[in-house]
Amino acid sequence: MFNESDGGLASDSKDGNNGKIYGDTRLLMHFDEGAGNPQDNSSYDNDGTINSATWTGSGCQSGSCLSFDGNDYVTISDNPSLKPNNITIEAWVKGQFSGGDTIINKGSTSGGDGKNGWSLRINAVNKIEAVLYTGTNTETILTGTTTLQNGIWY
């Protein structure tokens, strides 16, 4: 889920599922469709496109889910709705963690082009990191305290 952190509880889903969503949710993907591409359940229609990931019914939090093997990903087109002033990012993750795995990122996070954006990733010692990139070689990193174990949902 990706939202502008303004608090407030609102029902803001385009498919009428009566889900409760906090604030002005900009992107909400359940990754449980089971076929086709992931759909954005916010009112902004930031639907995704699968790149090599596969649908499975095994080992999911519930129902179907996407399986990523390390080089798979889902892309979402750039959209002004995904550039709020404040954000909250959350994700369910389960895997065979090897350190250096990206969960979600936005913007440019590598190369000599200024590194502007953010990333939620797993570092070399299997801890979650939230990273803010604010210019060439400038990073602010917040690191979690839990060491992620393979095969457990977090």
Side-chain angles (χ1 to χ4, degrees), residues 7-82:
L9 179 64
S11 178
D12 185 24
S13 76
K14 71 177 182 184
D15 62 3
N17 68 1
N18 296 319
K20 296 296 182 186
I21 300 171
Y22 291 89
D24 183 17
T25 300
R26 307 300 178 96
L27 177 66
L28 176 61
M29 296 189 134
H30 298 289
F31 292 125
D32 64 356
E33 289 86 352
N37 284 311
Q39 302 299 302
D40 179 12
N41 290 284
S42 79
S43 59
Y44 288 92
D45 294 322
N46 291 305
D47 297 336
T49 302
I50 295 173
N51 294 277
S52 300
T54 56
W55 290 108
T56 184
S58 175
C60 303
Q61 185 69 8
S62 65
S64 297
C65 61
L66 275 176
S67 176
F68 300 88
D69 70 3
N71 60 355
D72 305 335
Y73 56 96
V74 171
T75 56
I76 299 165
S77 297
D78 193 25
N79 185 303
S81 70
L82 298 175

Side-chain angles (χ1 to χ4, degrees), residues 97-147:
F97 304 112
S98 59
D101 300 313
T102 298
I103 299 167
I104 185 173
N105 73 307
K106 171 74 175 122
S108 174
T109 58
S110 64
D113 55 2
K115 290 177 84 171
N116 288 295
W118 52 263
S119 182
L120 188 63
R121 66 187 187 194
I122 300 168
N123 69 15
V125 293
N126 291 345
K127 294 183 187 240
I128 296 283
E129 289 184 339
V131 186
L132 177 64
Y133 304 95
T134 55
T136 304
N137 298 321
T138 304
E139 300 177 350
T140 301
I141 302 173
L142 300 173
T143 304
T145 58
T146 300
T147 301

